[in-house]
Amino acid sequence: THFRYGTIKWTTTNVENQAEFELKAAFRKDYNWGAFYKEKWRDTSTSEEWRSALAIEPNLLPCGDDTLSNADIQCFEDDSISYAHNYEILFLTGMGLESHDLVPNNDTLDYYVYDLNSNGQADTTKGKIVNAAADAENTGGKICQCRFHKGVIAGDQACPEVIAVNGDVTDTGYGTASGFGITEPKYKNGAISTDDATELIQTCSPWSITFGFFYGDGAFNNEGVVFKITEINHEDNLVGHFFRGTSHTFTHTYPAASSDGTGVVYTAFFTGGNRISTLNNNANGRYRLEANIVFNPNFPDNKSPISSQIPLLPVPYTAYPGAKFQVPAYDPDREDSVRWFLGTQVEMGGLLASPSSQGTHTWHKDVYHHEICIEGSGPEAVCKDSVKSGLTSTQLSSYTQYYEPFNGEWDDAVNLPNQPPNIAINDLDGIVEWRTGINPTTADSQGFGPLETGFYNLVVMVEEQHPGDTDIQGIRESIAYDTNGRATAVKVPIDFLLYLYPPMHYCNKDCDNSPTGNILKTFESTDGLYGDSEVGGSYPLSGTGQCKICGGGGEYIVSNQSSDPSPLQDVLYYTDSYNNGSVYCNVRPIETNGPVEFNYTSENVPDTYVEYGVVEDPDFVRPPAAGYDFQGCLGAGQKSDTTTIVPYSGIYDVCNINQAPYFLTSQTTPSGVTPELSKNNLPFDTAYLTFNQGQEAFFTLQAYDPDTCVEIVLSETGLLENMALSDPVRITDLEVDSSKTVQRTFTWPAYHLNKTTDTITPTDDAILDSRETYSVTCFFVTDKYLLTSNLFQCVEIELLAPAEIQWCDETPDSGKVYDTYLGVPIVIPLCVKRSLTNTFNYNVNVREVYTEVEGVYPVGAGFSYPYDEINFPPNTFFNATQDPEALQDPFTRDFVFIPEVGQECSYTVCFEGIDMSTVPGTPEVPEEVTDVRCYKMEVYNRVLSFDDSDDIAEVSGEFLSQKINPQLGYSMSAWVMPTCGNTEDGPVNETLVMFLSHRDFPAEGGEVHKDQGLEVRSSIRWHEETNGTGYFMYYDYNSGDTATPLHYQCDIWHYVAVTVDGNSDAVLYVDGALQGFDLDQYLDPQKADQIHFKTYSRPDGGLDNDNMGTFRIGEGYHGYIDEIRVWDYALNVSQVDQDMFTRSLTMEDGPPGAIMELTMQPTSVPDVLSASVEDPSMAYTGMTPCVLGLEHTVGPAVGDCTIAVYGWSFCKSTGLLCSFDGLEVRATYVSPTQIVCVTPGEVSPKFALVKASNDGAKSTDTKLVGKEVTHLYMDSVLFADGTDETGAAADSVCEDLVDASQ
């Protein structure tokens, strides 16, 4: 009962009529490996020999019994051992549980015989030994052609796929024995039987006891099939507890092909048994992975189709039209196509072991009838018929049926293999539709179901079609059949398990999830809990924590006593009726003397019941305690039991239905980097990626589960040689809870296969690359209940012959980030070559790539959304360092970008090298290019940061103070952001900028008096109150202070300026000279003050030749300063506003005549800086931000949808806003790369261009940043799906529709 899943693929070789085979299969993990069916195992990491213990007695088998051990038996139970890729299993060919050779054979050597006594004769008292000579001597044995043949008489012949099984003793056409006493065939070779020789196998080996790989031409695999374990699952539940493996390839040369172009058909198969006993169909049946081998001269290099699937696919009950899932398959020969069909009885294994009431397994109709009649469990209509039952006349006259329930007469629908009921597959795309019923007790609207919960076996055959083959859709007979009804096209199998279960529900996490009260175990959970641990979890980062399961989930398992060799057992499930009182969610304990009150009585429940929870509901007698809302746990229970409740359904349902996880692509919310599915080369949607031979293929897969509690798994249905998935990790750069995410990276390094030694070595040589040039690999994400099987995330990978052109070694690797500042060039050196000799004109060049390919480029940690979209600024150029037509190779070009005003953004730019002689390319002869390399260019701004009382910066007087003529006046301005929280000792005054004169020296003439006058000549200061508000003021030693009203905030950028004219008339400006920028329907939060005053103080211009004047910045200040400017005249009102809204590259960009500008870039900073003054990167209000992406790209036309806007250079500003096609709305600052806006309404559906502004005046220039971001307005509709949850929130498009809109 260890088989779970299997498939075969094959290909022709360079030897005529030779096929090379590879199998994939999954088996039960803790089966006693090495004890039965000649199976052996070994640990390749230690180079040990094959191990087995075939002579072991059944009561000494160790698997499942902790008291027993045997070094030659492998149970794969130690999860600290790396079994995957280190351990192998050998499957030899033979007959019967005791590992006999196929009989009859020509060597007279049996694999398993009695030891010999001193006379050289078999001694039955000494026990059995292995006959090593028989291991490779199975010559002459053969398997019966017909599945119903018992092998005991002559007459072996092929029989049709489906026949009316006639088990009467008079029918010997298929080897029926001469009596009913044969419960199983006997062995002819070896001294182990004394039964009548007429009942010994003498014709062929029956299907029911034969195992191994058979080639279909009379030969079989004598060396055995070696499986490499590729994955092991240690989860102790019904859907875990298995390992997957891939066989080493092996070859067989067939006798002949065909000369008429049709091909000779050989049916090869790998068989064994038995299937698991708990199947609802095919219980205890044989498995038979069957493939047709055809050598058609018209297709000499043919490959079979390839199919894949997970070993066990969970399927929830689904209302009409039923559950749907995909069986992925493709043909590696690109010109061929495939068709999908349900397997026949033979393709499913041919036989079942039909049990009697006493557990006896029988394989044939006559034996089955005889057994149930002998034990008294058969119906009288069968057992009193001597022809059917084989009972003697005495037995017939006294027959009484006394076992209940009795076993009925043989029924082909029950006693032979059959597909699951109500199942069909689309032959054109492999989509299975299964009509299961709504739940285990309810049929669907069309009367289908309900089917039994539990395991089912499904066998699908994938058949090849060459160009020109007859194609009649939906009819398998479009493929030729022989006289026995066997398909003659190339075909391969995919044999796997389904598990049908009621959808799982779990308690709201706000409820008490401790494992107390009723525990609802499921096929996945043995403790009634669901969700990864908050600490540690399944991956390196923590999980969501656990929730209590409260409905559905199917069957579960328990462990038997250690002495039982079968430790897993099926137990009945609880149905999905969690309101019937059988399953509970627990409320939180009542708080002693707490403000939250439970036990609110309701008019809707009996007096003996109490309602629990806190909710604003008109049905409650009194409202909840002040300040408390619904906690997510509501229901009714007995007054005498306040620890559990029966949960309500509908809006107050604490029992949540499990939601499916999904892959994150550019079109999902949240978005991710998983390659997007679309229509490509197959009948089902795939992602299509190309790589060069000799080059590693790689891409990233990301997935998300929206549930409260999550156990998320991302895996694959089958990998080719050397393919790998990285260990799973959480995704930390999404705007969602990382514990609900998973990410894995797919890699497929190039390798060379040495078929002589069956070893692989890495290579970067395209000629030596042994990988398939075309393949399809499918992935899925599951929460261990629901799974993305419709469709799987299948990726077509095509390996192309590499172009001779390639990047030079000095070209930076993709993903490098270049930082710069306004006006400072970025230079990216790009070099391509076609040769190492560099002696000819290779005519190569480098060009920009403007269209991204999802999952291929740009990819990597730095290119997550919204940086995964290419945006070239318009003013870039290549330095033409070399002429691409010159006789030079390699060829180098420098890509240059000098950011201008309006371009302080982040850019993703991509390039490829190209062979110009191949331009323009065609589909038949494409252009030869390199791989695409992508880089990020990030434009920053620097500010000065002051956070210590001793922090200062200065500009000396000779460079500034002496340039000011006192008779003409002066002006100075700055952008400042005072930080909050500096008032621990009360309100504070902090100096922002100040003209200072050092007046502490002896007066002229040598007098004893010192010159100490007018030290502070001019200053702008910030005053902060203890509540975070403050005001700005002007101060000097001559006129004192002049202040604004107390209505400014700290932790936000402000513009401050002072002008003093020749008449000593002065003005203090804060946040602009003119009216602030109003928005319709908004109160303007910006305060723009003009404070007029008189001062006769001037900067120390050095008229007395003492040169003591300086310009000081940040004395006693806590905060940030940027863009300090000084003029030698008084600016007028318009010029002040011009200065405020000007983002300058040079002093000439703003009001004319500036004598100093400090931008805080490396070449524009004060002369002196304290060591503790820092210059961090930070945006300020004068910068224009760019918009790069949106949290929700779709929203309702009525607006009022709160969305995150992603971009660059956002800052804390009173003028921060978004605009949607010109409709401006206030924005809330989150970070330099994110703000939040509420969408305005639109009159009709449309795409609205989204921009942003820091100062309310200058918005994103989409041309300058090379990117437009739009928001799609759509009309809202009310969607009702018939569930209790539909209604009030259904119209919230910005919450619901966007899940699939990005």
Side-chain angles (χ1 to χ4, degrees):
T1 63
H2 56 287
F3 178 77
R4 297 291 187 266
Y5 151 86
T7 187
I8 298 175
K9 71 172 184 177
W10 66 271
T11 181
T12 56
T13 72
N14 55 7
V15 176
E16 186 177 7
N17 302 331
Q18 186 180 79
E20 180 181 83
F21 297 91
E22 182 183 272
L23 283 69
K24 291 182 180 293
F27 301 92
R28 172 177 156 185
K29 173 174 66 72
D30 65 346
Y31 173 79
N32 286 275
W33 293 98
F36 305 109
Y37 298 101
K38 296 187 182 181
E39 292 159 352
K40 300 180 180 181
W41 64 275
R42 68 181 176 188
D43 179 0
T44 59
S45 66
T46 60
S47 302
E48 66 181 4
E49 298 297 320
W50 291 109
R51 304 177 72 171
S52 64
L54 294 174
I56 191 172
E57 296 299 326
N59 63 335
L60 298 178
L61 295 172
C63 296
D65 190 337
D66 295 337
T67 65
L68 299 175
S69 64
N70 188 311
D72 293 322
I73 301 294
Q74 182 58 252
C75 306
F76 297 107
E77 292 177 326
D78 188 345
D79 58 10
S80 67
I81 296 177
S82 297
Y83 297 112
H85 307 292
N86 291 322
Y87 280 66
E88 294 180 340
I89 304 289
L90 172 64
F91 291 85
L92 291 166
T93 302
M95 183 192 73
L97 176 66
E98 295 181 335
S99 304
H100 293 278
D101 298 339
L102 290 181
V103 291
N105 63 32
N106 301 327
D107 62 8
T108 69
L109 297 174
D110 194 11
Y111 188 83
Y112 198 51
V113 297
Y114 285 107
D115 200 355
L116 303 179
N117 58 24
S118 58
N119 296 323
Q121 298 175 331
D123 186 346
T124 59
T125 65
K126 284 193 172 185
K128 303 166 186 176
I129 62 172
V130 174
N131 183 357
D135 229 357
E137 294 293 335
N138 272 357
T139 58
K142 66 175 183 177
I143 188 171
C144 298
Q145 296 183 61
C146 178
R147 55 182 163 144
F148 303 117
H149 201 298
K150 298 178 183 176
V152 295
I153 61 174
D156 178 32
Q157 62 188 48
C159 56
E161 281 282 306
V162 179
I163 64 171
V165 181
N166 185 351
D168 295 344
V169 293
T170 57
D171 181 2
T172 60
Y174 299 110
T176 304
S178 59
F180 287 90
I182 304 175
T183 59
E184 63 180 29
K186 302 298 188 292
Y187 311 110
K188 184 173 183 178
N189 292 330
I192 61 171
S193 175
T194 57
D195 292 340
D196 185 349
T198 62
E199 295 183 355
L200 300 181
I201 293 175
Q202 53 187 318
T203 302
C204 53
S205 179
W207 285 31
S208 59
I209 56 173
T210 303
F211 55 88
F213 193 93
F214 297 81
Y215 293 113
D217 61 351
F220 45 86
N221 187 322
N222 219 7
E223 296 76 23
V225 179
V226 177
F227 277 89
K228 300 173 291 185
I229 294 178
T230 57
E231 177 196 358
I232 195 151
N233 183 306
H234 290 288
E235 294 189 13
D236 192 18
N237 54 43
L238 287 180
V239 296
H241 219 64
F242 66 87
F243 68 75
R244 282 195 297 175
T246 300
S247 75
H248 291 273
T249 58
F250 54 95
T251 60
H252 178 68
T253 302
Y254 285 83
S258 172
S259 59
D260 61 4
T262 58
V264 176
V265 180
Y266 301 100
T267 300
F269 57 92
F270 181 64
T271 187
N274 294 332
R275 299 186 187 275
I276 60 176
S277 61
T278 51
L279 282 168
N280 286 312
N281 68 322
N282 307 339
N284 300 301
R286 304 293 290 176
Y287 67 86
R288 179 182 169 102
L289 304 179
E290 185 175 291
N292 276 357
I293 316 303
V294 180
F295 298 99
N296 189 331
N298 294 330
F299 303 95
D301 299 322
N302 195 43
K303 297 181 177 68
S304 75
I306 297 175
S307 186
S308 63
Q309 184 55 271
I310 64 173
L312 194 154
L313 179 66
V315 180
Y317 284 92
T318 309
Y320 183 84
K324 290 186 177 182
F325 55 88
Q326 179 189 19
V327 178
Y330 71 101
D331 197 308
D333 299 316
R334 297 294 298 277
E335 68 276 7
D336 294 341
S337 59
V338 299
R339 293 291 183 266
W340 290 260
F341 303 99
L342 296 178
T344 63
Q345 286 186 349
V346 168
E347 291 163 342
M348 299 186 76
L351 295 174
L352 299 183
S354 300
S356 67
S357 293
Q358 301 302 297
T360 303
H361 284 179
T362 60
W363 299 93
H364 303 277
K365 181 176 180 179
D366 57 341
V367 178
Y368 169 76
H369 285 160
H370 186 68
E371 284 299 311
I372 63 175
C373 293
I374 285 292
E375 69 183 25
S377 64
E380 290 189 0
V382 173
C383 296
K384 289 193 174 183
D385 183 333
S386 61
V387 175
K388 291 183 177 180
S389 67
L391 297 183
T392 65
S393 57
T394 301
Q395 291 171 324
L396 289 171
S397 62
S398 62
Y399 179 75
T400 300
Q401 185 270 315
Y402 52 86
Y403 275 108
E404 295 288 347
F406 66 85
N407 291 315
E409 187 172 359
W410 179 280
D411 182 353
D412 286 358
V414 175
N415 301 98
L416 287 176
N418 287 281
Q419 298 285 3
N422 309 334
I423 203 165
I425 190 168
N426 188 318
D427 69 320
L428 298 179
D429 59 14
I431 300 299
V432 176
E433 187 175 275
W434 192 16
R435 295 171 178 174
T436 61
I438 297 175
N439 58 44
T441 60
T442 309
D444 65 23
S445 61
Q446 304 299 309
F448 290 102
L451 301 183
E452 291 290 331
T453 296
F455 291 106
Y456 292 83
N457 169 229
L458 177 62
V459 178
V460 173
M461 303 305 296
V462 181
E463 299 184 357
E464 174 186 75
Q465 284 194 328
H466 294 304
D469 285 355
T470 303
D471 183 12
I472 305 175
Q473 294 185 7
I475 303 176
R476 190 172 181 180
E477 283 71 16
S478 62
I479 305 297
Y481 274 61
D482 64 18
T483 56
N484 287 311
R486 307 305 305 280
T488 58
V490 171
K491 68 176 183 180
V492 295
I494 184 73
D495 187 325
F496 60 102
L497 299 180
L498 306 173
Y499 187 82
L500 182 63
Y501 71 98
M504 188 269 283
H505 294 67
Y506 59 89
C507 292
N508 188 303
K509 198 172 182 181
D510 288 333
C511 298
D512 177 10
N513 292 300
S514 62
T516 57
N518 291 34
I519 296 298
L520 180 57
K521 301 179 182 180
T522 70
F523 69 84
E524 184 275 335
S525 174
T526 57
D527 60 6
L529 297 177
Y530 175 70
D532 286 329
S533 170
E534 291 180 355
V535 179
S538 296
Y539 310 143
L541 297 179
S542 61
T544 56
Q546 295 182 312
C547 291
K548 187 176 179 181
I549 297 173
C550 56
E555 299 173 327
Y556 67 98
I557 58 176
V558 296
S559 296
N560 296 327
Q561 298 298 318
S562 60
S563 60
D564 190 332
S566 301
L568 304 179
Q569 182 180 71
D570 298 328
V571 181
L572 294 179
Y573 65 94
Y574 288 105
T575 62
D576 180 17
S577 56
Y578 48 86
N579 286 315
N580 63 8
S582 63
V583 182
Y584 301 98
C585 293
N586 295 333
V587 298
R588 295 188 184 279
I590 297 176
E591 298 182 35
T592 303
N593 300 322
V596 181
E597 299 183 24
F598 291 90
N599 303 342
Y600 283 6
T601 59
S602 171
E603 299 174 356
N604 297 335
V605 294
D607 292 338
T608 58
Y609 277 70
V610 175
E611 274 201 332
Y612 301 95
V614 180
V615 63
E616 294 186 12
D617 187 326
D619 292 333
F620 280 82
V621 175
R622 59 175 185 251
Y628 287 85
D629 297 321
F630 174 48
Q631 292 186 335
C633 192
L634 180 70
Q638 294 285 348
K639 287 184 178 180
S640 60
D641 182 4
T642 59
T643 60
T644 60
I645 59 171
V646 179
Y648 289 141
S649 61
I651 191 172
Y652 299 132
D653 187 359
V654 305
C655 210
N656 301 316
I657 189 169
N658 184 39
Q659 301 178 76
Y662 54 88
F663 282 99
L664 299 181
T665 71
S666 63
Q667 303 302 310
T668 61
T669 301
S671 65
V673 300
T674 303
E676 183 73 34
L677 299 184
S678 61
K679 185 60 66 179
N680 287 297
N681 302 298
L682 297 177
F684 50 89
D685 286 357
T686 63
Y688 176 72
L689 305 178
T690 61
F691 301 91
N692 285 339
Q693 294 171 352
Q695 171 196 7
E696 181 180 69
F698 63 92
F699 49 84
T700 299
L701 300 156
Q702 295 178 328
Y704 171 70
D705 190 332
D707 285 320
T708 301
C709 287
V710 167
E711 291 185 36
I712 188 169
V713 175
L714 193 163
S715 191
E716 32 72 26
T717 63
L719 299 177
L720 299 182
E721 181 73 61
N722 216 35
M723 287 181 174
L725 278 177
S726 65
D727 290 339
V729 297
R730 305 290 188 195
I731 313 171
T732 57
D733 58 352
L734 297 178
E735 297 295 327
V736 294
D737 184 353
S738 65
S739 65
K740 300 181 179 183
T741 66
V742 61
Q743 173 177 295
R744 302 185 76 176
T745 299
F746 169 88
T747 54
W748 193 16
Y751 67 90
H752 177 65
L753 172 63
N754 185 323
K755 292 194 174 184
T756 302
T757 61
D758 196 25
T759 57
I760 65 173
T761 54
T763 184
D764 56 5
D765 189 320
I767 297 176
L768 296 178
D769 193 343
S770 299
R771 295 175 298 174
E772 295 281 354
T773 56
Y774 176 74
S775 62
V776 179
T777 303
C778 299
F779 306 89
F780 64 91
V781 57
T782 179
D783 60 10
K784 300 185 180 177
Y785 293 91
L786 298 174
L787 184 141
T788 55
S789 57
N790 185 30
L791 296 169
F792 284 98
Q793 200 80 9
C794 295
V795 180
E796 297 179 63
I797 299 176
E798 187 158 13
L799 301 179
L800 306 175
E804 293 184 27
I805 187 171
Q806 56 189 290
W807 292 110
C808 308
D809 293 341
E810 57 266 32
T811 300
D813 291 336
S814 192
K816 184 172 181 178
V817 180
Y818 291 85
D819 297 343
T820 191
Y821 301 92
L822 193 65
V824 179
I826 284 177
V827 179
I828 303 177
L830 301 170
C831 174
V832 290
K833 61 182 180 180
R834 284 196 60 192
S835 168
L836 297 177
T837 56
N838 306 329
T839 57
F840 298 99
N841 177 6
Y842 290 107
N843 197 18
V844 296
N845 210 334
V846 176
R847 66 183 179 189
E848 296 103 330
V849 175
Y850 294 99
T851 303
E852 54 273 350
V853 176
E854 187 169 358
V856 182
Y857 61 83
V859 294
F863 294 115
S864 58
Y865 183 80
Y867 311 109
D868 58 347
E869 298 173 349
I870 298 172
N871 61 316
F872 276 90
N875 54 321
T876 60
F877 60 93
F878 284 107
N879 273 341
T881 57
Q882 291 174 273
D883 181 354
E885 295 184 1
L887 300 180
Q888 300 179 76
D889 183 15
F891 172 71
T892 300
R893 300 187 77 180
D894 288 340
F895 177 81
V896 182
F897 170 48
I898 305 176
E900 298 178 356
V901 173
Q903 293 186 311
E904 289 167 287
C905 189
S906 177
Y907 302 89
T908 297
V909 292
C910 299
F911 307 91
E912 65 183 358
I914 182 168
D915 180 349
M916 298 301 294
S917 65
T918 65
V919 178
T922 66
E924 293 77 21
V925 184
E927 297 174 343
E928 289 194 13
V929 296
T930 65
D931 61 296
V932 174
R933 296 197 178 182
C934 298
Y935 310 99
K936 286 183 71 177
M937 303 188 302
E938 298 176 346
V939 185
Y940 291 93
N941 175 65
R942 280 183 174 174
V943 301
L944 291 188
S945 171
F946 300 82
D947 61 5
D948 189 278
S949 299
D950 296 329
D951 285 353
I952 62 168
E954 282 191 356
V955 178
S956 63
E958 60 180 302
F959 294 110
L960 186 57
S961 297
Q962 293 182 12
K963 295 181 180 180
I964 296 175
N965 187 335
Q967 297 177 348
L968 298 179
Y970 69 97
S971 302
M972 62 179 175
S973 68
W975 279 97
V976 297
M977 186 171 76
T979 56
C980 298
N982 305 307
T983 57
E984 297 176 354
D985 299 324
V988 295
N989 293 320
E990 300 176 343
T991 300
L992 306 174
V993 291
M994 172 173 59
F995 278 104
L996 185 68
S997 179
H998 296 282
R999 312 306 300 176
D1000 190 12
F1001 54 87
E1004 286 188 26
E1007 299 177 6
V1008 294
H1009 297 289
K1010 290 186 177 181
D1011 184 348
Q1012 295 179 326
L1014 298 179
E1015 184 173 0
V1016 177
R1017 299 300 182 92
S1018 175
S1019 67
I1020 303 175
R1021 300 188 176 191
W1022 161 253
H1023 174 90
E1024 182 184 354
E1025 293 287 332
T1026 56
N1027 61 1
T1029 62
Y1031 58 81
F1032 293 94
M1033 64 179 177
Y1034 171 86
Y1035 173 78
D1036 66 44
Y1037 274 17
N1038 175 266
S1039 62
D1041 59 85
T1042 300
T1044 68
L1046 180 66
H1047 56 199
Y1048 291 101
Q1049 294 177 330
C1050 52
D1051 273 342
I1052 197 166
W1053 282 99
H1054 297 282
Y1055 171 80
V1056 292
V1058 165
T1059 66
V1060 180
D1061 65 17
N1063 297 320
S1064 298
D1065 291 321
V1067 184
L1068 170 64
Y1069 297 94
V1070 177
D1071 288 341
L1074 302 175
Q1075 184 65 35
F1077 283 81
D1078 290 327
L1079 298 178
D1080 292 340
Q1081 301 177 354
Y1082 284 86
L1083 292 176
D1084 185 5
Q1086 180 170 304
K1087 309 299 181 184
D1089 282 317
Q1090 298 181 41
I1091 309 299
H1092 294 264
F1093 60 97
K1094 201 84 168 179
T1095 180
Y1096 297 96
S1097 180
R1098 299 289 190 274
D1100 185 350
L1103 297 179
D1104 53 1
N1105 297 317
D1106 58 14
N1107 294 325
M1108 302 304 291
T1110 61
F1111 185 75
R1112 181 168 291 181
I1113 305 166
E1115 185 172 47
Y1117 175 56
H1118 295 80
Y1120 305 95
I1121 297 181
D1122 198 8
E1123 303 298 313
I1124 301 175
R1125 302 184 183 105
V1126 177
W1127 292 261
D1128 60 356
Y1129 68 95
L1131 300 180
N1132 61 34
V1133 172
S1134 297
Q1135 289 173 325
V1136 170
D1137 258 20
Q1138 180 188 4
D1139 177 50
M1140 174 177 171
F1141 292 110
T1142 295
R1143 174 62 169 151
S1144 64
L1145 266 174
T1146 66
M1147 289 191 290
E1148 287 73 30
D1149 292 337
I1155 59 175
M1156 186 195 74
E1157 179 180 52
L1158 299 179
T1159 64
M1160 311 313 167
Q1161 309 303 351
T1163 58
S1164 181
V1165 294
D1167 302 327
V1168 178
L1169 290 172
S1170 298
S1172 55
V1173 174
E1174 298 179 348
D1175 58 343
S1177 295
M1178 179 181 291
Y1180 82 101
T1181 307
M1183 298 169 61
T1184 303
C1186 62
V1187 174
L1188 298 175
L1190 301 175
E1191 177 189 16
H1192 302 317
T1193 58
V1194 178
V1198 296
D1200 199 30
C1201 182
T1202 301
I1203 62 173
V1205 178
Y1206 307 121
W1208 199 261
S1209 296
F1210 298 127
C1211 73
K1212 296 179 179 180
S1213 166
T1214 60
L1216 190 62
L1217 59 83
C1218 303
S1219 70
F1220 294 79
D1221 256 12
L1223 295 177
E1224 295 180 333
V1225 293
R1226 291 293 182 191
T1228 301
Y1229 177 86
V1230 177
S1231 73
T1233 59
Q1234 181 181 337
I1235 56 177
V1236 173
C1237 299
V1238 177
T1239 59
E1242 281 285 355
V1243 296
S1244 62
K1246 64 180 294 188
F1247 282 98
L1249 185 63
V1250 182
K1251 299 182 179 181
S1253 176
N1254 283 328
D1255 61 11
K1258 305 185 300 296
S1259 294
T1260 307
D1261 189 324
T1262 57
K1263 291 183 179 180
L1264 287 179
V1265 300
K1267 186 171 186 178
E1268 290 187 350
V1269 175
T1270 57
H1271 181 73
L1272 175 59
Y1273 282 100
M1274 296 186 70
D1275 281 335
S1276 303
V1277 296
L1278 182 64
F1279 171 73
D1281 61 5
T1283 65
D1284 293 339
E1285 290 77 10
T1286 304
D1291 199 38
S1292 298
V1293 181
C1294 57
E1295 297 175 3
D1296 303 328
L1297 181 60
V1298 295
D1299 286 347
S1301 68
Q1302 186 149 288

PDB file of all heavy atoms in Angstrom, residues 282 348 999 1025 1054:
ATOM      1  N   ASN A 282     -11.039   1.914  -6.512  1.00  0.00           N
ATOM      2  CA  ASN A 282      -9.765   1.219  -6.748  1.00  0.00           C
ATOM      3  C   ASN A 282      -9.005   0.875  -5.472  1.00  0.00           C
ATOM      4  O   ASN A 282      -7.773   0.808  -5.476  1.00  0.00           O
ATOM      5  CB  ASN A 282      -8.850   2.034  -7.670  1.00  0.00           C
ATOM      6  CG  ASN A 282      -9.528   2.430  -8.960  1.00  0.00           C
ATOM      7  OD1 ASN A 282     -10.515   1.800  -9.345  1.00  0.00           O
ATOM      8  ND2 ASN A 282      -9.037   3.460  -9.615  1.00  0.00           N
ATOM      9  N   MET A 348      -5.512   1.760 -15.498  1.00  0.00           N
ATOM     10  CA  MET A 348      -5.601   2.022 -14.055  1.00  0.00           C
ATOM     11  C   MET A 348      -5.023   0.884 -13.225  1.00  0.00           C
ATOM     12  O   MET A 348      -4.957   0.992 -12.000  1.00  0.00           O
ATOM     13  CB  MET A 348      -7.060   2.252 -13.654  1.00  0.00           C
ATOM     14  CG  MET A 348      -7.697   3.448 -14.344  1.00  0.00           C
ATOM     15  SD  MET A 348      -9.355   3.798 -13.743  1.00  0.00           S
ATOM     16  CE  MET A 348      -8.969   4.550 -12.177  1.00  0.00           C
ATOM     17  N   ARG A 999      32.459  90.623  18.609  1.00  0.00           N
ATOM     18  CA  ARG A 999      32.814  91.939  19.189  1.00  0.00           C
ATOM     19  C   ARG A 999      33.406  91.779  20.597  1.00  0.00           C
ATOM     20  O   ARG A 999      32.941  92.362  21.558  1.00  0.00           O
ATOM     21  CB  ARG A 999      31.570  92.829  19.266  1.00  0.00           C
ATOM     22  CG  ARG A 999      30.726  92.895  18.010  1.00  0.00           C
ATOM     23  CD  ARG A 999      31.514  93.281  16.777  1.00  0.00           C
ATOM     24  NE  ARG A 999      32.135  94.590  16.931  1.00  0.00           N
ATOM     25  CZ  ARG A 999      32.947  95.131  16.017  1.00  0.00           C
ATOM     26  NH1 ARG A 999      33.268  94.442  14.924  1.00  0.00           N
ATOM     27  NH2 ARG A 999      33.451  96.323  16.212  1.00  0.00           N
ATOM     28  N   GLU A1025       6.881  75.516  21.663  1.00  0.00           N
ATOM     29  CA  GLU A1025       6.168  75.333  22.910  1.00  0.00           C
ATOM     30  C   GLU A1025       6.172  73.851  23.291  1.00  0.00           C
ATOM     31  O   GLU A1025       6.514  72.976  22.486  1.00  0.00           O
ATOM     32  CB  GLU A1025       4.729  75.849  22.773  1.00  0.00           C
ATOM     33  CG  GLU A1025       4.629  77.352  22.588  1.00  0.00           C
ATOM     34  CD  GLU A1025       4.942  78.099  23.880  1.00  0.00           C
ATOM     35  OE1 GLU A1025       4.716  77.528  24.968  1.00  0.00           O
ATOM     36  OE2 GLU A1025       5.441  79.232  23.792  1.00  0.00           O
ATOM     37  N   HIS A1054       9.217  74.187   6.559  1.00  0.00           N
ATOM     38  CA  HIS A1054       8.725  75.568   6.448  1.00  0.00           C
ATOM     39  C   HIS A1054       9.756  76.405   5.691  1.00  0.00           C
ATOM     40  O   HIS A1054      10.975  76.200   5.830  1.00  0.00           O
ATOM     41  CB  HIS A1054       8.503  76.192   7.829  1.00  0.00           C
ATOM     42  CG  HIS A1054       7.459  75.504   8.644  1.00  0.00           C
ATOM     43  ND1 HIS A1054       6.122  75.672   8.450  1.00  0.00           N
ATOM     44  CD2 HIS A1054       7.589  74.623   9.676  1.00  0.00           C
ATOM     45  CE1 HIS A1054       5.446  74.948   9.321  1.00  0.00           C
ATOM     46  NE2 HIS A1054       6.327  74.295  10.085  1.00  0.00           N
TER      47      HIS A1054
END
